[in-house]
Structure formats: structure tokens, C-alpha cells
Amino acid sequence: GGCSAGAGGGGVQTNSAKSVSSGNSYTVTVGAGGTGSTTDLAGPRGAKGSNSVFDDITAEGGGGGANTGNSGNGDGQDGGCGGGGGAFSAATTNGGTGSQGGNGGGNGGNLGAPFAAGGGGGAGENGSNAVNNSTGGEGGDGIVNSLQTGSSQTYAGGGGGSVYSGGTGGAGGAGGGGAGANSGGGTN
């Protein structure tokens, strides 16, 4: 299987001063999350998430997680939070840049088997580089606010980085980040 880096969480925008009026209609779009790559070594990065929109406020979708460096798609994608950089035996990979949150981690220069990838950025924290050759980077934690429910909730965690064959995938970030897998594409 391939070795997916963690996808970045979506950007988070808050605006407690935003006024709304009863009787008016407002456009609300809930975007899909970014994904990790699920294809083999020569495949593309995961897909970038789509934007979430409330009236004139836009939260950018999370960056897709990288495939391996062998594919030419070893660096994470930019997004609301950056996708993680993939595993690679020949060079250091880099995470994508977050426009509204954390950046993704890369392989951290860990180039040996079984080849670990970086975690995706979360809205409140950067994703981590791969810990070593056999342990994927953790996804960054999301951001905490209480605007939606009145109690503290965590949103937009980044996905953990996977390991190509064996090893331990990185933990997902708090706020919905999926854990990395240990033999192929991660869950986020």
C-alpha cells in the first residue's frame, strides 16, 4: 500500500460580533474534510477539503496529506491547516502551510524503513514530524471554543501520519483528527 501523511484540519473562523437578523436568509455551506492519500507509491496527494462558508465568513478546507516522496508528491498540501509531508527514503519531506491554523509536519529526515510520514496541522497547533523511521507524526490539536454549543468544544484536529509497512501511525489531533495507519493510507 501507499503511505499517507495526515491531512490538515479545516480552518476555523470565529466572529462573535457577526450580527444576524430574523427573517433574513444566510448562505451556509459545510465543507468536506481533507483526505490522506490512499493510493500506492506513485499516486497523488490526498484531496484538499472544500471550504465552509457562513454568509461572508469563509473557513478554508484542510490540505491533503502527501503520498510518498517516490511519487513526486511527497510534500503536504497547503490549506486552512497544512497537510503532512509523506515518507521518503531519499530526502526530507515538508508539511503544507496553514492559512488559518497550523502547518503540517514532515518525515523529519527519518529516511529508513519502515518509512514514517508527518502529521497534518490542526487549527490550534502544528502537526508533528515523524518521530523516527517507524512512528508517524501526530496530528496537531484543533482549537477550543464555545460559540456553537455554549460549552467548550474542540474543532479541526489534524490527522496522524502513517507508516508504510509496520510501525505505529501517529495519533490524530484533538478535535476529530484521525489516527495514522501502519500499512497504507491513514484515516484522515
Side-chain angles (χ1 to χ4, degrees):
C3 178
S4 174
V12 174
Q13 298 279 62
T14 59
N15 184 349
S16 59
K18 173 75 175 176
S19 61
V20 294
S21 301
S22 62
N24 291 348
S25 60
Y26 299 91
T27 299
V28 177
T29 303
V30 178
T35 64
S37 173
T38 58
T39 57
D40 214 332
L41 296 177
R45 294 177 184 87
K48 181 180 176 182
S50 52
N51 294 345
S52 295
V53 181
F54 172 68
D55 196 30
D56 59 351
I57 300 171
T58 299
E60 185 179 2
N67 199 307
T68 64
N70 306 61
S71 68
N73 294 309
D75 288 336
Q77 190 176 49
D78 297 341
C81 302
F88 195 25
S89 62
T92 299
T93 61
N94 302 299
T97 300
S99 64
Q100 298 169 340
N103 302 327
N107 68 357
N110 295 295
L111 309 181
F115 309 111
E125 183 182 43
N126 292 337
S128 298
N129 289 338
V131 177
N132 50 43
N133 293 339
S134 60
T135 307
E138 295 184 354
D141 289 341
I143 195 168
V144 178
N145 74 56
S146 57
L147 292 177
Q148 181 177 1
T149 64
S151 60
S152 293
Q153 302 287 328
T154 306
Y155 300 94
S162 296
V163 182
Y164 178 67
S165 179
T168 304
N182 64 1
S183 59
T187 56
N188 187 21

